[in-house]
């Protein structure tokens, strides 16, 4: 292995460590606890080393968002591939989405609530974000209904899921009714 390859590998490993540490700290204590100083202390590198990877917290949030979008897409695809039939796929998608949001609140915030410096719904939207939307579209396109653009239907269904995830987490909706909400969402919005 050349010196250059070793340096690139070490740089990539430091970057993974920074993102993993930021994610862990955010999940434990919230995003307000994630500062460059605390991250530098936890990863045992100086702040200048951290800044050589990310210009600041905003870019770190963006990196966590991209990682989370990749995970969410994989989880949705795995869940929908494990069941047969459009209704079952849409229900599995909804449950998986809500479960991901509940189990990873800081990552979910990085993807959908916080400013990570990422473009959404534009030409320069990063691939992991586009892929997460595609993972939803793959199952929702078949239930959009006649005359309804699948992408538009996916946006509306996703907005409903996001609203549920946000309201349940904020304790504005009781979590024990989540399954019934999923059933209503699937039965009332999807054309089965």
């Amino acid at each position: 292995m050349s010196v250059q390859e070793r340096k690139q590998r070490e740089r990539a490993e430091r970057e993974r460590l920074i993102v993993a540490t930021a994610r862990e700290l955010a999940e434990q204590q919230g995003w307000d606890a994630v500062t460059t100083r605390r991250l530098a202390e936890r990863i045992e590198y100086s702040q200048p080393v951290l800044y050589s990877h990310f210009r600041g917290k905003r870019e770190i949030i963006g990196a966590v968002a991209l990682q989370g979008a990749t995970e969410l897409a994989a989880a949705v695809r795995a869940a929908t591939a494990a069941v047969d039939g459009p209704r079952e796929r849409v229900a599995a998608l909804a449950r998986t989405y809500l479960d991901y949001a509940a189990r990873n609140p800081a990552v979910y915030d990085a993807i959908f609530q916080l400013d990570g410096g990422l473009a959404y719904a534009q030409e320069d939207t990063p691939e992991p974000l586009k892929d997460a939307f595609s993972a939803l579209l793959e199952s929702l396109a078949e239930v959009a209904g006649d005359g309804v653009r699948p992408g538009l239907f996916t946006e509306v269904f996703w907005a409903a899921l996001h609203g549920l995830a946000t309201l349940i987490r904020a304790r504005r909706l009781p979590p024990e009714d989540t399954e019934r909400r999923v059933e209503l969402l699937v039965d009332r919005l999807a054309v089965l």
Side-chain angles (χ1 to χ4, degrees):
M1 174 181 309
S2 73
V3 172
Q4 181 69 10
E5 289 171 331
R6 181 181 54 78
K7 285 183 178 185
Q8 287 175 338
R9 189 185 75 234
E10 289 171 354
R11 180 172 176 76
E13 184 55 39
R14 272 194 313 271
E15 194 165 299
R16 279 190 294 276
L17 179 62
I18 292 165
V19 172
T21 304
R23 182 177 174 162
E24 179 184 321
L25 187 57
E27 290 293 1
Q28 291 171 352
Q29 299 176 31
W31 279 104
D32 288 342
V34 179
T35 64
T36 55
R37 175 173 284 151
R38 288 184 86 183
L39 285 174
E41 288 171 4
R42 283 201 174 198
I43 64 172
E44 298 178 346
Y45 284 102
S46 67
Q47 283 183 295
V49 169
L50 195 139
Y51 282 116
S52 74
H53 291 274
F54 299 98
R55 287 185 292 214
K57 183 176 176 176
R58 182 179 185 218
E59 283 189 5
I60 294 168
I61 290 170
V64 170
L66 295 177
Q67 186 181 73
T70 299
E71 292 170 0
L72 180 59
V76 165
R77 285 188 175 108
T80 57
V83 296
D84 289 323
R87 185 190 192 293
E88 291 76 13
R89 277 190 292 280
V90 174
L93 178 154
R95 286 185 198 102
T96 300
Y97 184 98
L98 294 173
D99 182 61
Y100 186 87
R103 285 186 302 104
N104 303 281
V107 175
Y108 188 82
D109 284 349
I111 302 169
F112 298 115
Q113 304 283 88
L114 301 174
D115 179 9
L118 304 173
Y120 286 79
Q122 298 175 20
E123 283 297 316
D124 59 341
T125 298
E127 270 312 306
L129 298 177
K130 289 179 180 178
D131 189 51
F133 184 80
S134 292
L136 301 177
L137 179 65
E138 289 162 12
S139 290
L140 295 172
E142 67 182 323
V143 298
D146 293 337
V148 178
R149 282 190 356 251
L152 184 63
F153 179 76
T154 301
E155 290 170 354
V156 171
F157 199 92
W158 169 36
L161 287 174
H162 177 70
L164 286 173
T166 302
L167 290 169
I168 291 167
R169 186 164 134 213
R171 299 180 192 264
R172 301 296 195 270
L173 295 175
E176 62 270 10
D177 291 330
T178 299
E179 183 57 32
R180 182 66 184 126
R181 289 184 194 102
V182 167
E183 290 172 11
L184 284 169
L185 188 60
V186 172
D187 290 342
R188 301 290 192 245
L189 284 184
V191 177
L192 303 168

